């Protein structure tokens, strides 16, 4: 007869446990288990590189560039003739920093120099100007780093050329 109180206690414990889990079960039903994300395609990355090269040639600068997807994977890199030996490495480090901090590396550089946030320096980032995150509809889809003094201008020209569609012109009668 000692088993009966044990079974009664166990059944009460299970009942209370299930009642407590009811909100959790409902919350699980309400969550969105996946989300749709945009990624930079290989063709998009190549078009960004071409647009940056065109900007660099027009502005008579020599650049190297690295384009990452949202996960930090290198999709495209390019170095113009005459670029410094560490050009692509520098561009890659800048792109990784822009992706991690989700801001222009010039802004991260300012924050580090002012002492506002020194984390990028001990997290092995490269907070030097020259890289931008790539945003599409408010979502980070990657980053572009460019090794030159005007790297962010080159990256912005590339982002604008590939991701910012000009407004359709209205035809007038």
């Amino acid at each position: 007869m000692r088993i009966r109180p044990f079974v009664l206690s166990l059944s009460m414990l299970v009942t209370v446990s299930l009642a407590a889990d009811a909100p959790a079960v409902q919350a699980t039903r309400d969550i969105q288990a996946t989300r749709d994300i945009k990624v930079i395609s290989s063709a998009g990355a190549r078009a960004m590189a071409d647009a940056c090269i065109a900007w660099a040639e027009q502005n008579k600068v020599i650049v190297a560039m690295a384009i990452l997807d949202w996960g930090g994977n290198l999709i495209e890199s390019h170095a113009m003739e005459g670029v410094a030996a560490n050009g692509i490495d520098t561009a890659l480090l800048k792109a990784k920093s822009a992706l991690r901090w989700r801001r222009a590396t010039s802004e991260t550089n300012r924050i580090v120099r002012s002492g506002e946030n020194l984390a990028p320096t001990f997290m092995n980032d490269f907070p030097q100007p020259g890289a931008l995150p790539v945003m599409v509809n408010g979502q980070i889809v990657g980053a572009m780093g460019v090794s030159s003094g005007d790297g962010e201008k080159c990256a912005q020209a590339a982002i604008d050329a590939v991701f910012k569609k000009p407004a359709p012109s209205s035809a007038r009668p």
Side-chain angles (χ1 to χ4, degrees):
M1 288 302 200
R2 289 185 176 192
I3 294 176
R4 193 171 272 182
F6 174 75
V7 170
L8 182 61
S9 298
L10 182 61
S11 65
M12 287 181 62
L13 181 63
V14 168
T15 303
V16 169
S17 175
L18 289 175
D21 284 344
V25 169
Q26 181 61 36
T28 303
R29 286 187 206 131
D30 294 340
I31 65 166
Q32 183 179 345
T34 62
R35 66 183 177 116
D36 294 328
I37 57 170
K38 295 199 176 297
V39 296
I40 297 174
S41 68
S42 296
R46 183 69 244 165
M48 287 176 67
D50 291 343
C52 186
I53 292 166
W55 183 92
E57 288 172 346
Q58 181 180 1
N59 289 281
K60 298 180 180 18
V61 293
I62 297 172
V63 300
M65 67 203 73
I67 302 163
L68 307 177
D69 69 8
W70 67 273
N73 301 302
L74 180 64
I75 299 176
E76 184 72 42
S77 64
H78 179 79
M80 295 174 69
E81 289 97 13
V83 76
N86 65 346
I88 287 182
D89 292 333
T90 301
L92 181 58
L93 290 169
K94 289 177 180 184
K96 286 181 178 182
S97 293
L99 186 62
R100 179 195 304 257
W101 295 99
R102 299 178 183 272
R103 64 169 58 111
T105 50
S106 60
E107 178 66 15
T108 306
N109 180 278
R110 185 197 62 74
I111 290 168
V112 168
R113 287 181 181 268
S114 71
E116 185 179 331
N117 185 352
L118 299 177
T121 58
F122 61 79
M123 294 177 74
N124 296 324
D125 281 322
F126 192 71
Q128 296 302 314
L132 297 174
V134 179
M135 304 280 292
V136 175
N137 297 328
Q139 181 181 18
I140 296 237
V141 298
M144 181 173 190
V146 182
S147 65
S148 85
D150 289 331
E152 287 179 23
K153 290 178 183 176
C154 192
Q156 189 64 59
I159 292 166
D160 290 347
V162 175
F163 294 103
K164 306 251 191 296
K165 305 278 191 263
S169 59
S170 57
R172 294 185 184 193

